[in-house]
Each structure stands twice: as C-alpha cells, then as structure tokens.
Amino acid sequence: MIARLVIFTLAFVVASAAQSQQPAPPQLDPNQTQGRALFSKSCTICHLPPQLGAGTFGPQLSRATLDGNESILRDVISNGMPHMPGFKHMYQADQIDSIVAYLKTVPAPTPIAPTPAR
Ligand code: HEC
C-alpha cells in the first residue's frame, strides 16, 4: 500500500518535472494564429518548424530571420527567392502580414553545441 503510494507520488513528480521543462507556447493573437495556419499549409514543406531541427530544404525561420526586418520578410514571401516560390498570387497582403506576424513569435533557434572531443 505504502509502496504504491510512493510509486504514484514519484510518477507524479516525474511527470510534472517533465512538463515544467517544456517552454510555454507563446500566446498568439488571432492574426498570428492565422499566420501560423498559413505557414503550416504553405511553408513547412520546405521550412520545417524549428523543433524538428536542421536538414530542411529552406533555412529555419524565426524572429531572427533577416534581422526581423518586416518589410524584407514581406518582400521575400511575396516575390520568392531563387529556390523559393513567391506567394503574392496565392495570398493577400494581409495574409502575408499575418505570416510575418507569426514568424516574429518564433524564437530564434539555439545553435546546437558541438559534442566535446574525447
Ligand atoms: C519550395 C520550397 C519553399 C517553400 C514552399 C517556401 N520556401 Fe522560403 N525559402 C526556401 C529556400 C530554399 C530559401 C533559401 C533562399 C533560396 O535559396 O532561394 C528560402 C528562404 C526564405 C526566407 C529568407 C530566409 C533568409 O534567412 O534569408 C524567408 C523569410 C522565407 N523563405 C519564408 C517563407 C515563407 C513564409 C513561406 C511560406 C509562405 C516559404 N518561405 C515557402 C524554400 C521554400
């Protein structure tokens, strides 16, 4: 009986510790939420969400992309780049703005620390 209680308590402590390590997801306003939806529909095929890490076709995007310069971000998303299609015919300016607003909520990826040599 006591052992069960101990196991239960331990499981609870471990579970809540694991939970508290997750950073709280940023609260998105409706505009940013729309941007996130458009982003997952049209962009993640080439720009995977940061938590999935490197190895994506396009660079990881975050609030640090292009120094967070909103007019350059808008321009790149509208007109594309050599290996990226532009979206100005697919999305209205306010939809592109919402994608930019969403990107500004994505934390910059922390560089992966190199494994120390042994
Ligand atoms: C077909 C693949 C593809 C899709 C779809 C795509 N991108 Fe890209 N994107 C790229 C590639 C590749 C680059 C790197 C520049 C280049 O090589 O043209 C890039 C670059 C960028 C950059 C500039 C990054 C930098 O640091 O210079 C931004 C911003 C960006 N993409 C945003 C978006 C957004 C927002 C969407 C969705 C609306 C999107 N991309 C959809 C492939 C894609």
PDB file of all heavy atoms in Angstrom, residues 8-37:
ATOM      1  N   PHE A   8       3.185   6.124  -6.951  1.00  0.00           N
ATOM      2  CA  PHE A   8       2.258   7.107  -7.507  1.00  0.00           C
ATOM      3  C   PHE A   8       2.832   8.519  -7.367  1.00  0.00           C
ATOM      4  O   PHE A   8       2.852   9.303  -8.317  1.00  0.00           O
ATOM      5  CB  PHE A   8       0.905   6.997  -6.779  1.00  0.00           C
ATOM      6  CG  PHE A   8      -0.091   7.997  -7.265  1.00  0.00           C
ATOM      7  CD1 PHE A   8      -0.803   7.765  -8.428  1.00  0.00           C
ATOM      8  CD2 PHE A   8      -0.295   9.178  -6.572  1.00  0.00           C
ATOM      9  CE1 PHE A   8      -1.714   8.691  -8.896  1.00  0.00           C
ATOM     10  CE2 PHE A   8      -1.213  10.100  -7.027  1.00  0.00           C
ATOM     11  CZ  PHE A   8      -1.926   9.864  -8.186  1.00  0.00           C
ATOM     12  N   THR A   9       3.343   8.823  -6.169  1.00  0.00           N
ATOM     13  CA  THR A   9       3.894  10.159  -5.920  1.00  0.00           C
ATOM     14  C   THR A   9       5.092  10.411  -6.833  1.00  0.00           C
ATOM     15  O   THR A   9       5.220  11.475  -7.442  1.00  0.00           O
ATOM     16  CB  THR A   9       4.320  10.280  -4.452  1.00  0.00           C
ATOM     17  OG1 THR A   9       3.273   9.805  -3.639  1.00  0.00           O
ATOM     18  CG2 THR A   9       4.629  11.715  -4.094  1.00  0.00           C
ATOM     19  N   LEU A  10       5.941   9.386  -6.943  1.00  0.00           N
ATOM     20  CA  LEU A  10       7.127   9.543  -7.801  1.00  0.00           C
ATOM     21  C   LEU A  10       6.715   9.820  -9.243  1.00  0.00           C
ATOM     22  O   LEU A  10       7.243  10.726  -9.891  1.00  0.00           O
ATOM     23  CB  LEU A  10       7.970   8.269  -7.759  1.00  0.00           C
ATOM     24  CG  LEU A  10       9.012   8.230  -6.648  1.00  0.00           C
ATOM     25  CD1 LEU A  10       9.779   6.932  -6.718  1.00  0.00           C
ATOM     26  CD2 LEU A  10       9.962   9.422  -6.787  1.00  0.00           C
ATOM     27  N   ALA A  11       5.753   9.039  -9.730  1.00  0.00           N
ATOM     28  CA  ALA A  11       5.299   9.215 -11.113  1.00  0.00           C
ATOM     29  C   ALA A  11       4.780  10.631 -11.301  1.00  0.00           C
ATOM     30  O   ALA A  11       5.069  11.285 -12.308  1.00  0.00           O
ATOM     31  CB  ALA A  11       4.215   8.200 -11.445  1.00  0.00           C
ATOM     32  N   PHE A  12       4.059  11.117 -10.314  1.00  0.00           N
ATOM     33  CA  PHE A  12       3.509  12.463 -10.409  1.00  0.00           C
ATOM     34  C   PHE A  12       4.631  13.497 -10.456  1.00  0.00           C
ATOM     35  O   PHE A  12       4.631  14.400 -11.294  1.00  0.00           O
ATOM     36  CB  PHE A  12       2.586  12.716  -9.200  1.00  0.00           C
ATOM     37  CG  PHE A  12       1.961  14.072  -9.224  1.00  0.00           C
ATOM     38  CD1 PHE A  12       0.888  14.333 -10.059  1.00  0.00           C
ATOM     39  CD2 PHE A  12       2.463  15.091  -8.425  1.00  0.00           C
ATOM     40  CE1 PHE A  12       0.322  15.581 -10.099  1.00  0.00           C
ATOM     41  CE2 PHE A  12       1.893  16.336  -8.457  1.00  0.00           C
ATOM     42  CZ  PHE A  12       0.822  16.592  -9.298  1.00  0.00           C
ATOM     43  N   VAL A  13       5.629  13.322  -9.589  1.00  0.00           N
ATOM     44  CA  VAL A  13       6.740  14.280  -9.546  1.00  0.00           C
ATOM     45  C   VAL A  13       7.489  14.272 -10.872  1.00  0.00           C
ATOM     46  O   VAL A  13       7.773  15.318 -11.452  1.00  0.00           O
ATOM     47  CB  VAL A  13       7.696  13.936  -8.376  1.00  0.00           C
ATOM     48  CG1 VAL A  13       8.993  14.720  -8.495  1.00  0.00           C
ATOM     49  CG2 VAL A  13       7.010  14.223  -7.052  1.00  0.00           C
ATOM     50  N   VAL A  14       7.760  13.065 -11.390  1.00  0.00           N
ATOM     51  CA  VAL A  14       8.484  12.965 -12.662  1.00  0.00           C
ATOM     52  C   VAL A  14       7.673  13.618 -13.772  1.00  0.00           C
ATOM     53  O   VAL A  14       8.191  14.402 -14.562  1.00  0.00           O
ATOM     54  CB  VAL A  14       8.790  11.482 -12.994  1.00  0.00           C
ATOM     55  CG1 VAL A  14       9.305  11.357 -14.416  1.00  0.00           C
ATOM     56  CG2 VAL A  14       9.808  10.946 -12.002  1.00  0.00           C
ATOM     57  N   ALA A  15       6.369  13.327 -13.788  1.00  0.00           N
ATOM     58  CA  ALA A  15       5.530  13.883 -14.853  1.00  0.00           C
ATOM     59  C   ALA A  15       5.502  15.403 -14.782  1.00  0.00           C
ATOM     60  O   ALA A  15       5.625  16.081 -15.800  1.00  0.00           O
ATOM     61  CB  ALA A  15       4.113  13.327 -14.750  1.00  0.00           C
ATOM     62  N   SER A  16       5.380  15.956 -13.585  1.00  0.00           N
ATOM     63  CA  SER A  16       5.290  17.414 -13.534  1.00  0.00           C
ATOM     64  C   SER A  16       6.649  18.044 -13.823  1.00  0.00           C
ATOM     65  O   SER A  16       6.719  19.124 -14.395  1.00  0.00           O
ATOM     66  CB  SER A  16       4.703  17.907 -12.215  1.00  0.00           C
ATOM     67  OG  SER A  16       5.139  17.139 -11.151  1.00  0.00           O
ATOM     68  N   ALA A  17       7.739  17.342 -13.460  1.00  0.00           N
ATOM     69  CA  ALA A  17       9.060  17.877 -13.800  1.00  0.00           C
ATOM     70  C   ALA A  17       9.221  17.906 -15.312  1.00  0.00           C
ATOM     71  O   ALA A  17       9.694  18.891 -15.877  1.00  0.00           O
ATOM     72  CB  ALA A  17      10.157  17.025 -13.167  1.00  0.00           C
ATOM     73  N   ALA A  18       8.789  16.817 -15.968  1.00  0.00           N
ATOM     74  CA  ALA A  18       8.909  16.761 -17.430  1.00  0.00           C
ATOM     75  C   ALA A  18       8.084  17.877 -18.061  1.00  0.00           C
ATOM     76  O   ALA A  18       8.512  18.511 -19.010  1.00  0.00           O
ATOM     77  CB  ALA A  18       8.433  15.406 -17.942  1.00  0.00           C
ATOM     78  N   GLN A  19       6.919  18.130 -17.485  1.00  0.00           N
ATOM     79  CA  GLN A  19       6.074  19.170 -18.036  1.00  0.00           C
ATOM     80  C   GLN A  19       6.691  20.552 -17.883  1.00  0.00           C
ATOM     81  O   GLN A  19       6.642  21.353 -18.787  1.00  0.00           O
ATOM     82  CB  GLN A  19       4.745  19.158 -17.302  1.00  0.00           C
ATOM     83  CG  GLN A  19       3.607  18.827 -18.219  1.00  0.00           C
ATOM     84  CD  GLN A  19       2.311  18.704 -17.453  1.00  0.00           C
ATOM     85  OE1 GLN A  19       2.221  19.135 -16.318  1.00  0.00           O
ATOM     86  NE2 GLN A  19       1.336  18.110 -18.084  1.00  0.00           N
ATOM     87  N   SER A  20       7.298  20.788 -16.723  1.00  0.00           N
ATOM     88  CA  SER A  20       7.796  22.135 -16.482  1.00  0.00           C
ATOM     89  C   SER A  20       9.021  22.441 -17.344  1.00  0.00           C
ATOM     90  O   SER A  20       9.412  23.577 -17.472  1.00  0.00           O
ATOM     91  CB  SER A  20       8.125  22.325 -15.007  1.00  0.00           C
ATOM     92  OG  SER A  20       9.132  21.431 -14.644  1.00  0.00           O
ATOM     93  N   GLN A  21       9.630  21.395 -17.946  1.00  0.00           N
ATOM     94  CA  GLN A  21      10.776  21.660 -18.819  1.00  0.00           C
ATOM     95  C   GLN A  21      10.343  22.175 -20.189  1.00  0.00           C
ATOM     96  O   GLN A  21      11.129  22.754 -20.904  1.00  0.00           O
ATOM     97  CB  GLN A  21      11.608  20.396 -19.001  1.00  0.00           C
ATOM     98  CG  GLN A  21      12.552  20.196 -17.829  1.00  0.00           C
ATOM     99  CD  GLN A  21      13.181  18.827 -17.823  1.00  0.00           C
ATOM    100  OE1 GLN A  21      13.001  18.065 -18.765  1.00  0.00           O
ATOM    101  NE2 GLN A  21      13.903  18.512 -16.779  1.00  0.00           N
ATOM    102  N   GLN A  22       9.082  21.893 -20.540  1.00  0.00           N
ATOM    103  CA  GLN A  22       8.587  22.390 -21.819  1.00  0.00           C
ATOM    104  C   GLN A  22       8.380  23.901 -21.709  1.00  0.00           C
ATOM    105  O   GLN A  22       7.660  24.340 -20.834  1.00  0.00           O
ATOM    106  CB  GLN A  22       7.234  21.751 -22.135  1.00  0.00           C
ATOM    107  CG  GLN A  22       7.301  20.255 -22.322  1.00  0.00           C
ATOM    108  CD  GLN A  22       7.852  19.865 -23.676  1.00  0.00           C
ATOM    109  OE1 GLN A  22       7.622  20.565 -24.651  1.00  0.00           O
ATOM    110  NE2 GLN A  22       8.598  18.795 -23.727  1.00  0.00           N
ATOM    111  N   PRO A  23       8.991  24.685 -22.609  1.00  0.00           N
ATOM    112  CA  PRO A  23       8.697  26.106 -22.553  1.00  0.00           C
ATOM    113  C   PRO A  23       7.237  26.335 -22.928  1.00  0.00           C
ATOM    114  O   PRO A  23       6.710  25.658 -23.812  1.00  0.00           O
ATOM    115  CB  PRO A  23       9.639  26.708 -23.607  1.00  0.00           C
ATOM    116  CG  PRO A  23      10.048  25.577 -24.486  1.00  0.00           C
ATOM    117  CD  PRO A  23       9.893  24.309 -23.690  1.00  0.00           C
ATOM    118  N   ALA A  24       6.597  27.238 -22.235  1.00  0.00           N
ATOM    119  CA  ALA A  24       5.186  27.515 -22.526  1.00  0.00           C
ATOM    120  C   ALA A  24       5.073  28.033 -23.950  1.00  0.00           C
ATOM    121  O   ALA A  24       5.859  28.880 -24.357  1.00  0.00           O
ATOM    122  CB  ALA A  24       4.665  28.559 -21.546  1.00  0.00           C
ATOM    123  N   PRO A  25       4.116  27.506 -24.747  1.00  0.00           N
ATOM    124  CA  PRO A  25       3.963  28.013 -26.100  1.00  0.00           C
ATOM    125  C   PRO A  25       3.539  29.471 -26.043  1.00  0.00           C
ATOM    126  O   PRO A  25       2.754  29.849 -25.165  1.00  0.00           O
ATOM    127  CB  PRO A  25       2.852  27.144 -26.694  1.00  0.00           C
ATOM    128  CG  PRO A  25       2.166  26.518 -25.540  1.00  0.00           C
ATOM    129  CD  PRO A  25       3.130  26.500 -24.397  1.00  0.00           C
ATOM    130  N   PRO A  26       4.082  30.300 -26.940  1.00  0.00           N
ATOM    131  CA  PRO A  26       3.716  31.713 -26.884  1.00  0.00           C
ATOM    132  C   PRO A  26       2.234  31.871 -27.191  1.00  0.00           C
ATOM    133  O   PRO A  26       1.680  31.129 -27.989  1.00  0.00           O
ATOM    134  CB  PRO A  26       4.582  32.343 -27.977  1.00  0.00           C
ATOM    135  CG  PRO A  26       4.978  31.227 -28.881  1.00  0.00           C
ATOM    136  CD  PRO A  26       4.965  29.977 -28.062  1.00  0.00           C
ATOM    137  N   GLN A  27       1.609  32.811 -26.531  1.00  0.00           N
ATOM    138  CA  GLN A  27       0.202  33.101 -26.808  1.00  0.00           C
ATOM    139  C   GLN A  27       0.130  33.867 -28.119  1.00  0.00           C
ATOM    140  O   GLN A  27       0.783  34.889 -28.272  1.00  0.00           O
ATOM    141  CB  GLN A  27      -0.383  33.953 -25.679  1.00  0.00           C
ATOM    142  CG  GLN A  27      -0.463  33.222 -24.363  1.00  0.00           C
ATOM    143  CD  GLN A  27      -1.415  32.024 -24.437  1.00  0.00           C
ATOM    144  OE1 GLN A  27      -2.511  32.141 -24.961  1.00  0.00           O
ATOM    145  NE2 GLN A  27      -0.980  30.895 -23.923  1.00  0.00           N
ATOM    146  N   LEU A  28      -0.640  33.360 -29.059  1.00  0.00           N
ATOM    147  CA  LEU A  28      -0.751  34.025 -30.352  1.00  0.00           C
ATOM    148  C   LEU A  28      -2.066  34.781 -30.432  1.00  0.00           C
ATOM    149  O   LEU A  28      -3.100  34.273 -30.003  1.00  0.00           O
ATOM    150  CB  LEU A  28      -0.692  33.000 -31.484  1.00  0.00           C
ATOM    151  CG  LEU A  28       0.555  32.122 -31.553  1.00  0.00           C
ATOM    152  CD1 LEU A  28       0.528  31.269 -32.810  1.00  0.00           C
ATOM    153  CD2 LEU A  28       1.832  32.935 -31.511  1.00  0.00           C
ATOM    154  N   ASP A  29      -2.001  35.976 -31.008  1.00  0.00           N
ATOM    155  CA  ASP A  29      -3.254  36.696 -31.236  1.00  0.00           C
ATOM    156  C   ASP A  29      -3.891  36.131 -32.517  1.00  0.00           C
ATOM    157  O   ASP A  29      -3.286  35.318 -33.213  1.00  0.00           O
ATOM    158  CB  ASP A  29      -3.002  38.219 -31.272  1.00  0.00           C
ATOM    159  CG  ASP A  29      -2.185  38.667 -32.473  1.00  0.00           C
ATOM    160  OD1 ASP A  29      -2.166  37.947 -33.490  1.00  0.00           O
ATOM    161  OD2 ASP A  29      -1.562  39.739 -32.400  1.00  0.00           O
ATOM    162  N   PRO A  30      -5.121  36.535 -32.849  1.00  0.00           N
ATOM    163  CA  PRO A  30      -5.812  35.926 -33.998  1.00  0.00           C
ATOM    164  C   PRO A  30      -5.050  36.099 -35.309  1.00  0.00           C
ATOM    165  O   PRO A  30      -5.037  35.184 -36.137  1.00  0.00           O
ATOM    166  CB  PRO A  30      -7.151  36.682 -34.044  1.00  0.00           C
ATOM    167  CG  PRO A  30      -7.353  37.187 -32.661  1.00  0.00           C
ATOM    168  CD  PRO A  30      -5.997  37.445 -32.091  1.00  0.00           C
ATOM    169  N   ASN A  31      -4.402  37.238 -35.469  1.00  0.00           N
ATOM    170  CA  ASN A  31      -3.625  37.481 -36.678  1.00  0.00           C
ATOM    171  C   ASN A  31      -2.454  36.501 -36.770  1.00  0.00           C
ATOM    172  O   ASN A  31      -2.201  35.878 -37.804  1.00  0.00           O
ATOM    173  CB  ASN A  31      -3.134  38.935 -36.641  1.00  0.00           C
ATOM    174  CG  ASN A  31      -2.420  39.340 -37.907  1.00  0.00           C
ATOM    175  OD1 ASN A  31      -2.838  38.982 -39.003  1.00  0.00           O
ATOM    176  ND2 ASN A  31      -1.333  40.086 -37.773  1.00  0.00           N
ATOM    177  N   GLN A  32      -1.737  36.333 -35.655  1.00  0.00           N
ATOM    178  CA  GLN A  32      -0.598  35.411 -35.646  1.00  0.00           C
ATOM    179  C   GLN A  32      -1.073  33.973 -35.818  1.00  0.00           C
ATOM    180  O   GLN A  32      -0.398  33.158 -36.452  1.00  0.00           O
ATOM    181  CB  GLN A  32       0.173  35.562 -34.326  1.00  0.00           C
ATOM    182  CG  GLN A  32       0.834  36.930 -34.191  1.00  0.00           C
ATOM    183  CD  GLN A  32       1.168  37.272 -32.746  1.00  0.00           C
ATOM    184  OE1 GLN A  32       0.673  36.642 -31.808  1.00  0.00           O
ATOM    185  NE2 GLN A  32       2.022  38.261 -32.554  1.00  0.00           N
ATOM    186  N   THR A  33      -2.240  33.668 -35.257  1.00  0.00           N
ATOM    187  CA  THR A  33      -2.779  32.315 -35.404  1.00  0.00           C
ATOM    188  C   THR A  33      -3.088  32.021 -36.865  1.00  0.00           C
ATOM    189  O   THR A  33      -2.806  30.938 -37.371  1.00  0.00           O
ATOM    190  CB  THR A  33      -4.059  32.172 -34.553  1.00  0.00           C
ATOM    191  OG1 THR A  33      -3.740  32.529 -33.215  1.00  0.00           O
ATOM    192  CG2 THR A  33      -4.582  30.752 -34.586  1.00  0.00           C
ATOM    193  N   GLN A  34      -3.653  33.006 -37.560  1.00  0.00           N
ATOM    194  CA  GLN A  34      -3.889  32.831 -38.997  1.00  0.00           C
ATOM    195  C   GLN A  34      -2.565  32.635 -39.720  1.00  0.00           C
ATOM    196  O   GLN A  34      -2.439  31.765 -40.582  1.00  0.00           O
ATOM    197  CB  GLN A  34      -4.613  34.053 -39.577  1.00  0.00           C
ATOM    198  CG  GLN A  34      -4.585  34.040 -41.100  1.00  0.00           C
ATOM    199  CD  GLN A  34      -5.306  35.212 -41.740  1.00  0.00           C
ATOM    200  OE1 GLN A  34      -6.502  35.189 -41.901  1.00  0.00           O
ATOM    201  NE2 GLN A  34      -4.560  36.242 -42.104  1.00  0.00           N
ATOM    202  N   GLY A  35      -1.564  33.431 -39.351  1.00  0.00           N
ATOM    203  CA  GLY A  35      -0.244  33.312 -39.977  1.00  0.00           C
ATOM    204  C   GLY A  35       0.345  31.925 -39.758  1.00  0.00           C
ATOM    205  O   GLY A  35       0.913  31.333 -40.668  1.00  0.00           O
ATOM    206  N   ARG A  36       0.151  31.387 -38.551  1.00  0.00           N
ATOM    207  CA  ARG A  36       0.690  30.050 -38.267  1.00  0.00           C
ATOM    208  C   ARG A  36      -0.009  29.002 -39.129  1.00  0.00           C
ATOM    209  O   ARG A  36       0.630  28.104 -39.653  1.00  0.00           O
ATOM    210  CB  ARG A  36       0.508  29.714 -36.787  1.00  0.00           C
ATOM    211  CG  ARG A  36       1.117  28.372 -36.438  1.00  0.00           C
ATOM    212  CD  ARG A  36       1.015  28.063 -34.984  1.00  0.00           C
ATOM    213  NE  ARG A  36      -0.365  28.039 -34.530  1.00  0.00           N
ATOM    214  CZ  ARG A  36      -0.739  27.872 -33.272  1.00  0.00           C
ATOM    215  NH1 ARG A  36       0.178  27.728 -32.335  1.00  0.00           N
ATOM    216  NH2 ARG A  36      -1.999  27.855 -32.935  1.00  0.00           N
ATOM    217  N   ALA A  37      -1.311  29.177 -39.320  1.00  0.00           N
ATOM    218  CA  ALA A  37      -2.055  28.213 -40.147  1.00  0.00           C
ATOM    219  C   ALA A  37      -1.571  28.285 -41.599  1.00  0.00           C
ATOM    220  O   ALA A  37      -1.347  27.251 -42.235  1.00  0.00           O
ATOM    221  CB  ALA A  37      -3.543  28.504 -40.052  1.00  0.00           C
TER     222      ALA A  37
END
